[in-house]
Amino acid sequence: MTDFFTELKQELKELRQSLIFGWEQAATTARNAARQLQQTKLDYVHFPIGGPLPERAEPPRGFIRRQLPLPLPPLPMQIVNRRLQAIADANNVKGVLFHFHGFDAGRGTLQNLRQSIRRLRAAGKEAIVYTPYLDMAHAFVAAAADRIIIPPGAMFDVLGLHTETIFLKEALARIGVQAEVIQISPYKSAYNMFGEADMTPEQREQLDWLLDDMFESLALALADGRGKSPDEIRALIDGAPYTAVQALELGLVDGVAYEDELAELLGNDAEGGKGEEEKGKAKLLMWEKAWPALLERARRESSKFIGVISLEGMITMGPSRQPPLIPLPFMGGQTAGAYTLLQLLRRAEKMEDMAALILHVDSGGGSALASELIAREIERIKQKKPVLAYMGNTAASGGYYVSVPASHIMCQPNSVTGSIGVIMMRTNTQGLYEKLSVKRVAVERGKRAGLYRGNGPLSDDERETLWRGVVDTYEMFKRAVADGRSLPYDELDPICEGRVWTGRQALAHKLVDSHGDFVDAVCQAAELAGLPTGDDYRIPVVNLYPKGHGHLPPEPFEPAELPAEIGRLLSGEWLEALAGRPLMMMPFEIKFK
């Protein structure tokens, strides 16, 4: 009887979806007919874009926050892709004029925007970029377009990649502070700036392979976009910077003009063999004015949706924390709190209409315990429906740990991932107190009551105790990688021990399954869930946000118990890092500039 009602419920859902699609198709046809009668001329949609370009839209603001004079939220890639899809569908618009006005986005995000532009061109639309900025980040994205136009005063400033690290060991010693670092291997270098006086060979080796791979991918992207060989691009980068005129002569850009000259320039360059008397200005419409005139395409929508949960920032125990809308000093950045994520994941687990879950990860890691608890919830959901881990700019260390249980892991070639290792640090401040003539007296019970206190140097027993904690946590991490990625446990050390990889290298090492942007991730999740993914279908995607503060306990699940090691792990929030807790942390950050 239960099966009968289940089948009946599904058939009614499908009938409802068919009726909705029929109504939408008729409504779309009517709207398109009205727009064609208006004969609105559309040449290019003028599309200003810049800033951080977060992957997903932020949660809707409440009534009170909407009344305050707060800055507008940044434009997310979610909205960018939705608008570009609408332009791609419309056969009454020629293309898009992108106006880049300063990116503050990471490598993966920039690659996503490149892919969005390439997808627009594949749909038969022209993509033109106008930008006063032409550094590495802007040139990397602009190279995906048909044409690049810059103002006369702009410079081609693609100079290469740069990263640097400061080392504080000797400076800390001058004030009587010693950082005692315990790491699984020299490649786990998150605290080298405190514990080393100079760059170690392993840290330099790691930076070299990361920069080499990133620089090669950048050269390939620019070469493909500008019709040159990678060697030619490398030589041109070595000779940069160039003036706008020089860049035009070298074929690095396609035009030099001020913004107010674009309409005439694009109108005169229009194809179709117009005579002189027919040439005029191209009509450039901002999105707000263009979208009501765009012809639409009706698509059939699935009765089930793809859910999206974002894990962004340092992984900590406790609730998540958002930075203030107006930046304040000493307030800290965004954190992904295990308590918040666990409640959200448990709520998602109960959603019957959710066909699959995308876990969007953009984190360099954090607390080992928090990462393990979040990974456990991912494992629970995967028993009921597919989970796709989509890596943003960075999903390393703890950010990789939470991704491991997923059914499929996708990243961008320039995402940074791996860093499978554990590190902890305890600061010995005894010398500082002596320099300040401050007497510190501790009264304790228990042999190791002061294990995480920096009242003096680590004893042999204390160092051995902390080292055991690092090794236990690392072995747990490796076991999770071996099980989640179906890799031999005993062969993992050469790709683990804290080594960091680009997305291209991670794919070669089988740490991820594929490359793609978020649109690709949605299609892959739909395929895993058995949803139709053709061009005639629209896949509903729903962002899931935390609600309320109530505790949602998990339902019984087999295997029911957490690994025994969990009881020995301690939380590792950033403020506790100096107290010596085990951490899964990314060692450094590289940005395109």
Side-chain angles (χ1 to χ4, degrees):
M1 184 64 70
T2 301
D3 291 342
F4 169 78
F5 283 112
T6 300
E7 292 177 7
L8 178 61
K9 181 180 178 182
Q10 184 59 34
E11 288 179 4
L12 289 173
K13 277 187 177 181
E14 292 175 359
L15 176 60
R16 178 176 176 271
Q17 290 301 119
S18 296
L19 293 173
I20 291 174
F21 175 67
W23 169 255
E24 288 183 350
Q25 196 170 30
T28 299
T29 301
R31 287 194 298 269
N32 285 342
R35 288 164 180 169
Q36 287 174 330
L37 286 174
Q38 293 174 357
Q39 295 182 338
T40 303
K41 178 188 175 185
L42 291 172
D43 289 324
Y44 299 96
V45 178
H46 194 179
F47 204 121
I49 187 168
L53 295 174
E55 187 62 58
R56 310 303 293 167
E58 68 173 31
R61 295 179 180 179
F63 174 78
I64 295 178
R65 296 177 76 186
R66 292 199 303 271
Q67 312 312 309
L68 299 175
L70 299 173
L72 292 174
L75 180 68
M77 285 300 301
Q78 174 184 355
I79 301 299
V80 171
N81 283 320
R82 186 183 302 166
R83 292 179 180 178
L84 294 184
Q85 181 63 63
I87 295 169
D89 287 343
N91 58 19
N92 64 331
V93 62
K94 185 176 180 180
V96 177
L97 170 62
F98 294 95
H99 186 168
F100 293 172
H101 56 81
F103 292 132
D104 184 22
R107 307 159 306 277
T109 301
L110 296 174
Q111 199 142 23
N112 287 353
L113 184 54
R114 268 184 59 86
Q115 183 62 20
S116 297
I117 294 174
R118 292 169 65 91
R119 192 178 289 114
L120 180 73
R121 293 179 62 188
K125 304 301 181 184
E126 187 178 2
I128 300 171
V129 167
Y130 177 79
T131 175
Y133 309 97
L134 213 56
D135 57 10
M136 181 65 84
H138 291 78
F140 174 67
V141 180
D146 294 279
R147 285 191 282 173
I148 303 173
I149 303 171
I150 60 176
M155 298 287 291
F156 183 87
D157 274 329
V158 181
L159 306 178
L161 299 176
H162 172 84
T163 186
E164 64 181 46
T165 303
I166 60 171
F167 295 91
L168 302 175
K169 180 179 180 179
E170 294 175 351
L172 292 174
R174 296 184 66 173
I175 61 171
V177 176
Q178 177 190 8
E180 297 173 296
V181 179
I182 300 174
Q183 59 203 123
I184 195 62
S185 88
Y187 290 100
K188 192 67 177 178
S189 54
Y191 290 140
N192 277 17
M193 67 178 297
F194 301 109
E196 299 290 342
D198 201 350
M199 189 174 289
T200 64
E202 292 82 5
Q203 187 177 9
R204 184 175 296 277
E205 177 190 4
Q206 186 163 234
L207 285 171
D208 280 340
W209 78 54
L210 286 169
L211 290 176
D212 284 345
D213 192 75
M214 289 181 183
F215 193 64
E216 181 183 357
S217 68
L218 289 167
L220 290 172
L222 294 177
D224 179 64
R226 302 315 301 167
K228 299 181 181 296
S229 71
D231 288 339
E232 287 177 310
I233 290 296
R234 294 187 190 97
L236 287 168
I237 290 174
D238 288 341
Y242 303 111
T243 66
V245 173
Q246 289 172 327
L248 181 63
E249 292 172 347
L250 292 169
L252 295 170
V253 300
D254 301 286
V256 177
Y258 290 108
E259 186 177 357
D260 57 84
E261 298 174 318
L262 291 175
E264 185 173 354
L265 176 65
L266 297 179
N268 291 337
D269 288 348
E271 298 177 1
K274 291 183 180 180
E276 284 298 324
E277 68 282 357
E278 294 176 289
K279 289 185 178 180
K281 294 184 178 180
K283 189 166 186 179
L284 311 178
L285 291 180
M286 299 295 291
W287 169 258
E288 291 74 16
K289 292 184 177 180
W291 77 264
L294 295 178
L295 298 182
E296 301 177 57
R297 176 176 178 179
R299 285 186 168 85
R300 189 180 296 272
E301 189 168 285
S302 169
S303 60
K304 292 195 172 185
F305 67 89
I306 304 293
V308 181
I309 291 178
S310 287
L311 187 159
E312 299 177 271
M314 176 167 293
I315 301 172
T316 66
M317 293 296 289
S320 297
R321 184 184 66 201
Q322 296 289 334
L325 290 174
I326 301 175
L328 297 174
F330 312 115
M331 288 298 291
Q334 184 173 3
T335 66
Y339 185 82
T340 301
L341 267 297
L342 263 56
Q343 308 311 306
L344 186 53
L345 288 165
R346 288 170 186 171
R347 182 158 60 88
E349 183 183 348
K350 297 175 180 290
M351 294 180 175
E352 295 182 2
D353 289 339
M354 188 178 74
L357 174 68
I358 295 178
L359 178 68
H360 166 229
V361 182
D362 203 335
S363 170
S367 164
L369 176 55
S371 302
E372 164 64 17
L373 296 177
I374 294 169
R376 170 66 170 185
E377 295 301 319
I378 300 299
E379 181 67 37
R380 287 172 54 88
I381 294 177
K382 192 178 71 170
Q383 304 305 314
K384 298 180 178 180
K385 58 197 70 181
V387 178
L388 184 144
Y390 173 73
M391 297 178 170
N393 298 303
T394 301
S397 205
Y400 184 76
Y401 195 116
V402 300
S403 305
V404 163
S407 315
H408 188 100
I409 302 178
M410 181 181 291
C411 70
Q412 285 283 16
N414 279 323
S415 298
V416 169
T417 187
S419 195
I420 300 165
V422 184
I423 193 169
M424 61 169 54
M425 181 176 76
R426 195 190 81 162
T427 54
N428 173 15
T429 57
Q430 183 180 33
L432 174 63
Y433 279 74
E434 290 174 354
K435 286 179 179 291
L436 297 174
S437 299
V438 175
K439 192 170 186 66
R440 180 168 49 176
V441 180
V443 180
E444 300 175 347
R445 297 294 185 275
K447 179 181 178 181
R448 295 173 181 156
L451 181 64
Y452 300 123
R453 308 293 178 185
N455 296 354
L458 286 169
S459 67
D460 290 343
D461 174 71
E462 289 173 330
R463 184 172 292 276
E464 176 61 25
T465 299
L466 294 179
W467 170 248
R468 266 201 321 271
V470 167
V471 171
D472 288 348
T473 307
Y474 176 61
E475 290 178 350
M476 180 183 68
F477 200 163
K478 275 205 308 180
R479 176 56 60 193
V481 174
D483 293 343
R485 303 302 304 160
S486 299
L487 296 173
Y489 177 87
D490 295 332
E491 299 176 13
L492 283 176
D493 279 343
I495 61 172
C496 295
E497 293 185 334
R499 292 173 176 85
V500 183
W501 309 106
T502 66
R504 294 202 311 171
Q505 294 165 337
L507 184 61
H509 291 311
K510 300 180 180 179
L511 294 176
V512 302
D513 295 294
S514 64
H515 290 158
D517 68 352
F518 197 85
V519 175
D520 298 319
V522 171
C523 292
Q524 181 65 53
E527 288 184 9
L528 292 173
L531 299 180
T533 58
D535 199 39
D536 293 328
Y537 290 88
R538 180 188 296 111
I539 304 169
V541 179
V542 178
N543 295 332
L544 304 180
Y545 301 112
K547 288 184 178 180
H549 303 285
H551 181 77
L552 183 63
E555 295 180 353
F557 175 71
E558 294 294 338
E561 295 183 358
L562 294 173
E565 300 98 292
I566 291 300
R568 298 198 300 271
L569 293 179
L570 297 171
S571 65
E573 299 183 31
W574 173 249
L575 293 178
E576 295 177 317
L578 302 183
R581 263 62 168 187
L583 291 176
M584 298 174 179
M585 290 286 297
M586 248 286 288
F588 42 72
E589 182 177 7
I590 300 174
K591 281 191 174 184
F592 290 171
K593 290 294 186 182

